Amino acid sequence: MARKPNSSRQTEALLAALLHSGPGWRYGYDLSRETGLKSGTLYPILMRLEAQGWLETAWEDALTPGRPRRHLYRLSAAGSAEARALLESTQERSGRLSFVPREAGAQ
Amino acid sequence: MKRESNLGDWQARSLRRIALAACAPADRPWVEALFRELNFIEGAWPRASWLLGTARLVAEVTKQRFGAMLSLRLRVATAVAFCAALLSVLISRAGYEGLGVDDDVFLILALVCVAAPAARLAIARRDHGAAGPSSPGPP
Protein backbone atom coordinates (compact mmCIF):
# COMPACT_ATOMS: atom_id res chain seq x y z
CA MET A 1 0.00 0.00 0.00
CA ALA A 2 1.34 3.40 -0.93
CA ARG A 3 2.22 5.64 1.97
CA LYS A 4 0.32 8.91 2.29
CA PRO A 5 2.41 11.96 1.39
CA ASN A 6 3.70 14.08 4.26
CA SER A 7 2.87 11.42 6.81
CA SER A 8 6.33 11.00 8.31
CA ARG A 9 6.70 11.91 11.97
CA GLN A 10 9.03 14.78 11.13
CA THR A 11 6.66 16.26 8.59
CA GLU A 12 3.73 15.90 10.94
CA ALA A 13 5.65 17.65 13.70
CA LEU A 14 6.46 20.50 11.35
CA LEU A 15 2.89 20.74 10.10
CA ALA A 16 1.63 20.82 13.69
CA ALA A 17 4.03 23.65 14.53
CA LEU A 18 3.00 25.62 11.46
CA LEU A 19 -0.69 25.04 12.14
CA HIS A 20 -0.21 26.11 15.72
CA SER A 21 1.16 29.48 14.63
CA GLY A 22 -1.84 30.08 12.34
CA PRO A 23 -1.41 32.73 9.67
CA GLY A 24 1.72 34.17 11.26
CA TRP A 25 5.09 33.85 9.58
CA ARG A 26 7.74 31.65 11.16
CA TYR A 27 11.53 31.58 10.97
CA GLY A 28 13.40 28.39 10.10
CA TYR A 29 15.40 28.36 13.32
CA ASP A 30 12.29 28.83 15.44
CA LEU A 31 10.62 25.92 13.69
CA SER A 32 13.74 23.84 14.24
CA ARG A 33 13.72 24.58 17.97
CA GLU A 34 10.01 23.94 18.34
CA THR A 35 9.98 20.67 16.45
CA GLY A 36 13.43 19.45 17.43
CA LEU A 37 14.25 18.89 13.76
CA LYS A 38 17.80 19.50 12.59
CA SER A 39 18.25 21.98 9.77
CA GLY A 40 19.23 19.20 7.38
CA THR A 41 15.89 17.51 7.99
CA LEU A 42 13.77 20.63 8.31
CA TYR A 43 14.71 22.41 5.10
CA PRO A 44 14.17 19.51 2.69
CA ILE A 45 10.70 19.11 4.22
CA LEU A 46 10.02 22.83 3.84
CA MET A 47 11.15 22.65 0.22
CA ARG A 48 8.88 19.70 -0.46
CA LEU A 49 5.89 21.35 1.20
CA GLU A 50 6.42 24.49 -0.85
CA ALA A 51 6.67 22.46 -4.06
CA GLN A 52 3.37 20.80 -3.16
CA GLY A 53 1.71 24.17 -2.59
CA TRP A 54 1.23 23.60 1.14
CA LEU A 55 3.71 26.27 2.19
CA GLU A 56 4.11 29.97 1.46
CA THR A 57 7.53 31.56 1.71
CA ALA A 58 8.68 35.16 1.76
CA TRP A 59 11.72 37.23 2.55
CA GLU A 60 11.42 39.42 5.61
CA ASP A 61 11.03 43.17 5.10
CA ALA A 62 14.14 45.17 5.96
CA LEU A 63 13.75 46.03 9.64
CA THR A 64 17.16 47.14 10.78
CA PRO A 65 19.96 48.31 8.52
CA GLY A 66 22.81 45.83 8.58
CA ARG A 67 20.60 43.02 9.84
CA PRO A 68 20.18 40.26 7.25
CA ARG A 69 16.66 39.59 6.06
CA ARG A 70 15.36 36.16 6.94
CA HIS A 71 13.24 33.67 5.08
CA LEU A 72 9.73 33.24 6.42
CA TYR A 73 7.32 30.33 6.26
CA ARG A 74 3.64 29.72 6.81
CA LEU A 75 1.05 27.27 5.58
CA SER A 76 -1.05 28.25 2.59
CA ALA A 77 -4.84 28.05 2.90
CA ALA A 78 -4.83 24.74 1.05
CA GLY A 79 -1.88 23.54 3.09
CA SER A 80 -3.65 24.37 6.35
CA ALA A 81 -6.70 22.38 5.35
CA GLU A 82 -4.62 19.43 4.15
CA ALA A 83 -2.39 19.50 7.20
CA ARG A 84 -5.34 19.66 9.59
CA ALA A 85 -7.01 16.72 7.87
CA LEU A 86 -3.77 14.75 7.84
CA LEU A 87 -3.04 15.36 11.52
CA GLU A 88 -6.59 14.54 12.55
CA SER A 89 -6.53 11.28 10.65
CA THR A 90 -3.17 10.44 12.17
CA GLN A 91 -4.45 11.23 15.64
CA GLU A 92 -7.50 9.06 15.13
CA ARG A 93 -5.43 6.21 13.77
CA SER A 94 -2.65 6.05 16.29
CA GLY A 95 -2.98 8.83 18.83
CA ARG A 96 0.56 9.89 18.00
CA LEU A 97 0.00 13.61 18.36
CA SER A 98 -1.34 15.15 21.51
CA PHE A 99 -3.18 17.94 19.76
CA VAL A 100 -4.32 19.27 16.43
CA PRO A 101 -4.52 23.05 16.42
CA ARG A 102 -7.93 24.43 15.64
CA GLU A 103 -8.69 27.02 12.99
CA ALA A 104 -6.79 30.24 13.58
CA GLY A 105 -8.84 32.56 15.76
CA ALA A 106 -11.22 29.83 16.95
CA GLN A 107 -10.72 29.18 20.66
CA MET B 1 36.94 34.29 21.74
CA LYS B 2 37.10 36.91 19.04
CA ARG B 3 39.40 34.71 17.01
CA GLU B 4 37.04 31.74 17.31
CA SER B 5 34.16 33.89 16.20
CA ASN B 6 36.08 35.15 13.18
CA LEU B 7 37.15 31.65 12.28
CA GLY B 8 33.54 30.52 12.45
CA ASP B 9 32.44 33.38 10.23
CA TRP B 10 35.17 32.61 7.74
CA GLN B 11 34.19 28.95 7.67
CA ALA B 12 30.56 29.83 7.29
CA ARG B 13 31.28 32.20 4.43
CA SER B 14 33.39 29.60 2.65
CA LEU B 15 30.79 26.91 3.15
CA ARG B 16 28.10 29.27 1.91
CA ARG B 17 29.98 29.94 -1.31
CA ILE B 18 30.60 26.25 -1.91
CA ALA B 19 27.02 25.34 -1.10
CA LEU B 20 25.55 27.99 -3.37
CA ALA B 21 27.87 26.96 -6.20
CA ALA B 22 26.88 23.32 -5.85
CA CYS B 23 23.14 23.96 -5.93
CA ALA B 24 20.85 24.61 -8.86
CA PRO B 25 19.57 28.21 -9.13
CA ALA B 26 16.11 27.11 -7.98
CA ASP B 27 17.51 25.72 -4.73
CA ARG B 28 19.80 28.63 -3.89
CA PRO B 29 17.23 30.72 -2.00
CA TRP B 30 16.79 27.80 0.38
CA VAL B 31 20.49 27.44 1.01
CA GLU B 32 20.78 31.20 1.41
CA ALA B 33 17.88 31.19 3.88
CA LEU B 34 19.53 28.46 5.89
CA PHE B 35 22.80 30.35 6.09
CA ARG B 36 21.08 33.59 7.08
CA GLU B 37 19.56 31.86 10.10
CA LEU B 38 23.11 31.32 11.32
CA ASN B 39 23.25 35.01 12.21
CA PHE B 40 20.57 34.45 14.81
CA ILE B 41 21.89 31.27 16.42
CA GLU B 42 23.82 31.65 19.65
CA GLY B 43 26.48 29.23 20.78
CA ALA B 44 29.17 27.24 19.04
CA TRP B 45 27.43 23.86 19.17
CA PRO B 46 24.04 24.98 17.83
CA ARG B 47 25.81 26.85 15.05
CA ALA B 48 27.94 23.82 14.19
CA SER B 49 24.86 21.63 14.23
CA TRP B 50 23.03 24.05 11.95
CA LEU B 51 25.98 24.12 9.54
CA LEU B 52 26.03 20.34 9.48
CA GLY B 53 22.42 20.50 8.37
CA THR B 54 23.49 22.75 5.54
CA ALA B 55 25.75 19.99 4.28
CA ARG B 56 22.84 17.59 4.38
CA LEU B 57 20.57 19.98 2.51
CA VAL B 58 23.20 20.53 -0.16
CA ALA B 59 23.78 16.79 -0.43
CA GLU B 60 20.04 16.31 -0.82
CA VAL B 61 19.54 18.89 -3.55
CA THR B 62 22.71 18.01 -5.46
CA LYS B 63 21.81 14.33 -5.28
CA GLN B 64 18.47 15.13 -6.91
CA ARG B 65 20.18 17.36 -9.47
CA PHE B 66 23.12 15.22 -10.51
CA GLY B 67 21.55 11.86 -9.69
CA ALA B 68 18.90 12.36 -12.35
CA MET B 69 21.49 13.46 -14.89
CA LEU B 70 23.82 10.58 -14.06
CA SER B 71 21.20 7.89 -14.27
CA LEU B 72 20.02 9.16 -17.65
CA ARG B 73 23.58 9.49 -18.86
CA LEU B 74 24.46 5.98 -17.77
CA ARG B 75 21.34 4.49 -19.28
CA VAL B 76 22.02 6.08 -22.66
CA ALA B 77 25.70 5.15 -22.55
CA THR B 78 24.94 1.56 -21.59
CA ALA B 79 22.40 1.18 -24.38
CA VAL B 80 24.73 2.64 -26.98
CA ALA B 81 27.70 0.63 -25.77
CA PHE B 82 25.66 -2.57 -25.82
CA CYS B 83 24.51 -1.95 -29.39
CA ALA B 84 28.03 -1.12 -30.52
CA ALA B 85 29.47 -4.19 -28.81
CA LEU B 86 26.81 -6.40 -30.37
CA LEU B 87 27.57 -4.98 -33.79
CA SER B 88 31.25 -5.52 -33.20
CA VAL B 89 30.75 -9.17 -32.25
CA LEU B 90 28.52 -9.80 -35.28
CA ILE B 91 31.06 -8.29 -37.64
CA SER B 92 33.86 -10.21 -36.01
CA ARG B 93 31.90 -13.47 -36.24
CA ALA B 94 31.13 -12.85 -39.86
CA GLY B 95 34.82 -12.45 -40.47
CA TYR B 96 34.26 -9.19 -42.26
CA GLU B 97 37.39 -7.13 -42.09
CA GLY B 98 37.06 -5.13 -45.23
CA LEU B 99 38.17 -1.52 -44.77
CA GLY B 100 39.28 -2.43 -41.25
CA VAL B 101 35.74 -2.05 -39.92
CA ASP B 102 36.33 -4.63 -37.19
CA ASP B 103 38.84 -2.44 -35.42
CA ASP B 104 36.89 0.71 -36.12
CA VAL B 105 33.81 -0.54 -34.33
CA PHE B 106 35.77 -0.89 -31.12
CA LEU B 107 37.12 2.59 -31.60
CA ILE B 108 33.64 3.95 -32.28
CA LEU B 109 32.36 2.13 -29.21
CA ALA B 110 34.92 3.86 -27.03
CA LEU B 111 34.17 7.26 -28.54
CA VAL B 112 30.42 6.85 -28.16
CA CYS B 113 30.79 5.72 -24.56
CA VAL B 114 32.55 8.98 -23.80
CA ALA B 115 30.58 11.30 -26.08
CA ALA B 116 27.06 10.13 -25.25
CA PRO B 117 27.24 10.69 -21.49
CA ALA B 118 29.05 14.00 -22.02
CA ALA B 119 26.37 15.21 -24.44
CA ARG B 120 23.62 13.95 -22.15
CA LEU B 121 25.15 15.76 -19.19
CA ALA B 122 25.50 18.99 -21.17
CA ILE B 123 21.85 18.83 -22.26
CA ALA B 124 20.67 18.06 -18.73
CA ARG B 125 22.71 20.91 -17.29
CA ARG B 126 21.34 23.32 -19.86
CA ASP B 127 17.75 22.21 -19.20
CA HIS B 128 18.24 22.36 -15.44
CA GLY B 129 19.87 25.78 -15.60
CA ALA B 130 16.92 27.14 -17.60
CA ALA B 131 14.51 26.45 -14.71
CA GLY B 132 13.64 29.57 -12.75
CA PRO B 133 13.83 29.96 -8.97
CA SER B 134 10.99 28.42 -6.98
CA SER B 135 10.67 31.39 -4.66
CA PRO B 136 11.72 35.01 -4.77
CA GLY B 137 15.45 35.30 -4.47
CA PRO B 138 17.19 36.71 -1.45
CA PRO B 139 17.39 40.47 -1.28
Side-chain angles (χ1 to χ4, degrees):
Chain A
M1 194 173 98
R3 190 178 171 183
K4 285 174 76 173
N6 301 326
S7 61
S8 70
R9 277 176 182 271
Q10 291 94 337
T11 306
E12 285 177 359
L14 178 60
L15 290 172
L18 287 164
L19 266 181
H20 187 66
S21 53
W25 292 100
R26 301 291 306 269
Y27 296 122
Y29 184 50
D30 295 342
L31 287 169
S32 171
R33 284 200 302 184
E34 185 174 335
T35 58
L37 298 175
K38 304 285 184 196
S39 56
T41 305
L42 174 69
Y43 276 76
I45 297 174
L46 288 171
M47 291 172 75
R48 195 179 68 238
L49 291 176
E50 197 221 19
Q52 291 170 347
W54 288 35
L55 192 74
E56 293 175 348
T57 66
W59 286 96
E60 192 178 38
D61 291 333
L63 298 173
T64 311
R67 181 177 175 270
R69 293 159 71 181
R70 300 167 78 177
H71 213 204
L72 301 162
Y73 313 98
R74 73 178 178 193
L75 286 175
S76 64
S80 293
E82 295 272 13
R84 190 170 290 106
L86 178 75
L87 294 177
E88 280 173 354
S89 75
T90 301
Q91 196 173 22
E92 282 170 15
R93 205 170 53 244
S94 63
R96 265 191 344 215
L97 291 173
S98 59
F99 74 99
V100 176
R102 297 189 180 283
E103 293 278 359
Q107 295 293 324
Chain B
M1 197 69 176
K2 174 89 173 156
R3 192 176 164 199
E4 277 180 14
S5 171
N6 285 340
L7 186 63
D9 290 346
W10 178 82
Q11 287 170 327
R13 277 201 303 273
S14 302
L15 278 170
R16 178 176 164 274
R17 285 198 196 100
I18 294 167
L20 288 173
C23 292
D27 298 323
R28 284 179 192 153
W30 290 98
V31 175
E32 181 66 36
L34 204 151
F35 272 97
R36 287 200 184 185
E37 288 298 303
L38 260 184
N39 294 295
F40 304 92
I41 300 174
E42 298 288 338
W45 172 245
R47 283 172 62 85
S49 173
W50 193 260
L51 271 180
L52 207 62
T54 308
R56 191 173 163 194
L57 175 69
V58 171
E60 182 88 15
V61 296
T62 50
K63 187 175 74 182
Q64 288 167 5
R65 183 186 183 191
F66 291 109
M69 292 180 195
L70 195 67
S71 60
L72 262 177
R73 192 173 58 141
L74 282 177
R75 262 179 283 166
V76 171
T78 305
V80 171
F82 177 75
C83 291
L86 187 64
L87 186 64
S88 168
V89 168
L90 289 174
I91 289 171
S92 179
R93 282 270 177 177
Y96 183 74
E97 291 188 15
L99 305 174
V101 76
D102 192 24
D103 292 336
D104 285 351
V105 169
F106 285 106
L107 184 61
I108 290 165
L109 169 68
L111 286 173
V112 165
C113 283
V114 173
R120 189 61 248 178
L121 183 63
I123 292 166
R125 286 191 69 158
R126 189 195 61 194
D127 293 347
H128 200 83
S134 61
S135 68

